[in-house]
Amino acid sequence: ADLQHHLSGNLEQYVQRIKMHDDVDAPRRVEHFGEFRRYADAVAAGKVLERAGWAITVDRHRITHGRLIAARTTTVDVETADRCTEQVFAAVTEHRGRYEGWNAPVLRSL
């Protein structure tokens, strides 16, 4: 999927989180995912994101493939989600990977 698809998904996720009474302005661990045909490409994308302050995990997947998780503590409001999505999407696609979206726990507002 292209970047615009993921950005519109961020707005949808925001609406769902509001309905679940998520405190979208509360920082929490947010993980973004990338899939790569070559493990080395996943490692290269991870290095770019690490320099930008992300915590990176790269695992082998199907012997030669790589799976990247880029994590940081942040809020899940639309503006922040879009900025993080754009940054990870750029690094993943620059290294021939496929951006797979993000996930974060729901933190109920009191």
Side-chain angles (χ1 to χ4, degrees):
D2 67 351
L3 177 59
Q4 199 55 50
H5 169 80
H6 290 289
L7 296 178
S8 60
N10 288 347
L11 181 58
E12 292 170 24
Q13 186 163 164
Y14 175 82
V15 169
Q16 289 303 314
R17 285 176 177 276
I18 293 298
K19 288 179 182 176
M20 293 186 291
H21 304 287
D22 189 350
D23 182 357
V24 296
D25 296 319
R28 84 278 320 264
R29 180 182 170 89
V30 179
E31 296 180 337
H32 291 256
F33 306 96
E35 295 285 334
F36 298 81
R37 289 188 184 274
R38 293 182 54 233
Y39 177 77
D41 291 337
V43 170
K47 286 181 180 174
V48 169
L49 291 166
E50 216 166 37
R51 286 193 295 272
W54 292 85
I56 300 301
T57 304
V58 177
D59 295 323
R60 282 197 185 278
H61 179 62
R62 287 196 238 139
I63 302 173
T64 59
H65 292 54
R67 180 178 291 142
L68 174 138
I69 301 172
R72 73 169 21 156
T73 300
T74 185
T75 60
V76 292
D77 60 273
V78 174
E79 186 177 305
T80 304
D82 283 355
R83 188 171 56 249
C84 291
T85 298
E86 289 166 353
Q87 188 174 27
V88 177
F89 183 93
V92 168
T93 55
E94 177 184 331
H95 292 91
R96 295 177 294 284
R98 186 176 71 236
Y99 178 74
E100 293 288 320
W102 61 272
N103 193 11
V106 171
L107 298 180
R108 291 212 179 253
S109 48
L110 301 175

